[in-house]
Amino acid sequence: MIDKIEKIANIFFIFLGYIGMAALVVFLVFIENPVRYFFYALSITTFIHFKNFRYLRIDFKKVGGNFLLTISIIYLSLITVLSVSPFLTIQEFKISHFTWKPVEAKTIKSSSFWDTGYKRRGNSYATIYYEYQADGKRYKNSEPEALKKYYPIWNTSKTDDLIIEFSKSVSEKIKNKDYIIFKSPNHHDKSRLFLSTDIIYFQGSLLYNMATSMAAIILTILGLLSIILIFSGKSRQK
């Protein structure tokens, strides 16, 4: 009876694991990032493994496993690099939207907000509201979360101070026109704004968020181990 319960429990947790992986894939591919990034990774992986497809009937599990591993590595590398480099993100957008043309902002303003994080202090982010002109008409648009700045859990500054500091940096970018707006040629009301043109913007990247979150987990584990060792040492002395 116990063996049967353990078997059911194992199947249940494996099932939960698959659901978790599927949810992560859906979030990364369809929500957090443009779907075309996945097709880039799929195309590159297909090219790399094209010769191996002949062995699918012989060893489907091995060929399929290698394919999934490669596409995962390529996709995660791609979204990591693009999250670190606003410049490369802009270049990718130019290529994938080659008919879209830059347009000058007639008015532009920003609003900064705060989002409390998990395993991190949180992040500031800016929403940009702007107007541009096309064919004699003015169009209004906004870019939610046009720029982010992550703060690790060990940052002890006041939240209000961090938001003010971030807001000043956003205003400075707008003042220096360190942004670019692209407009659709067919639908003038559709546009995309990139607030930063920096080659590297590490503190606003997915990599920085992951690195500081992992560091927070490691520090928490080390802290718990230290507490356990201290109390165990005191118990022995008694």
Side-chain angles (χ1 to χ4, degrees):
M1 183 67 180
I2 295 175
D3 292 340
K4 188 176 181 180
I5 293 173
E6 288 181 353
K7 187 176 180 180
I8 293 171
N10 289 333
I11 293 172
F12 176 73
F13 285 116
I14 291 171
F15 180 69
L16 281 182
Y18 281 124
I19 290 177
M21 287 297 295
L24 179 62
V25 170
V26 169
F27 175 75
L28 288 175
V29 175
F30 297 102
I31 300 173
E32 184 69 13
N33 300 287
V35 180
R36 63 181 180 275
Y37 291 178
F38 174 76
F39 286 106
Y40 295 158
L42 180 62
S43 300
I44 295 170
T45 306
T46 301
F47 177 78
I48 293 172
H49 286 272
F50 185 75
K51 291 183 179 180
N52 295 332
F53 291 153
R54 71 182 75 174
Y55 303 113
L56 276 172
R57 292 183 179 179
I58 300 173
D59 197 343
F60 177 83
K61 187 176 181 180
K62 182 179 179 181
V63 175
N66 290 337
F67 186 89
L68 290 175
L69 178 62
T70 304
I71 194 172
S72 299
I73 293 172
I74 292 174
Y75 180 74
L76 291 175
S77 300
L78 177 64
I79 62 175
T80 300
V81 169
L82 290 177
S83 74
V84 170
S85 177
F87 173 79
L88 290 179
T89 302
I90 293 171
Q91 303 314 307
E92 184 281 326
F93 187 87
K94 284 182 179 179
I95 295 171
S96 61
H97 296 73
F98 61 92
T99 59
W100 290 45
K101 301 300 180 185
V103 65
E104 184 180 349
K106 295 301 180 183
T107 62
I108 182 168
K109 61 179 181 178
S110 65
S111 294
S112 297
F113 305 94
W114 179 264
D115 180 30
T116 301
Y118 174 67
K119 294 189 180 68
R120 56 181 169 82
R121 172 68 185 276
N123 66 273
S124 297
Y125 65 93
T127 295
I128 308 299
Y129 306 92
Y130 59 96
E131 292 184 18
Y132 57 94
Q133 191 167 325
D135 291 340
K137 293 182 180 180
R138 277 208 175 195
Y139 296 90
K140 293 182 180 181
N141 213 336
S142 64
E143 192 67 44
E145 299 186 2
L147 193 69
K148 288 183 178 181
K149 188 173 183 179
Y150 295 101
Y151 300 96
I153 199 169
W154 53 84
N155 190 312
T156 57
S157 301
K158 293 181 179 178
T159 300
D160 290 340
D161 293 339
L162 294 176
I163 296 173
I164 291 170
E165 178 191 7
F166 176 73
S167 182
K168 286 180 179 178
S169 66
V170 171
S171 298
E172 193 70 21
K173 283 184 175 294
I174 292 174
K175 181 182 177 181
N176 296 332
K177 293 189 175 182
D178 185 22
Y179 62 85
I180 186 168
I181 303 170
F182 293 98
K183 175 187 68 66
S184 169
N186 301 321
H187 304 280
H188 297 315
D189 58 329
K190 290 185 178 181
S191 60
R192 175 73 190 276
L193 179 143
F194 295 91
L195 183 56
S196 176
T197 60
D198 296 338
I199 295 177
I200 299 293
Y201 180 53
F202 187 53
Q203 199 168 346
S205 68
L206 175 67
L207 181 61
Y208 183 86
N209 186 25
M210 291 172 60
T212 52
S213 297
M214 287 299 297
I217 294 172
I218 292 170
L219 289 174
T220 302
I221 293 172
L222 290 175
L224 290 173
L225 288 174
S226 299
I227 293 170
I228 292 170
L229 289 172
I230 290 170
F231 276 99
S232 63
K234 288 182 178 180
S235 299
R236 289 176 182 176
Q237 288 176 0
K238 291 179 180 179

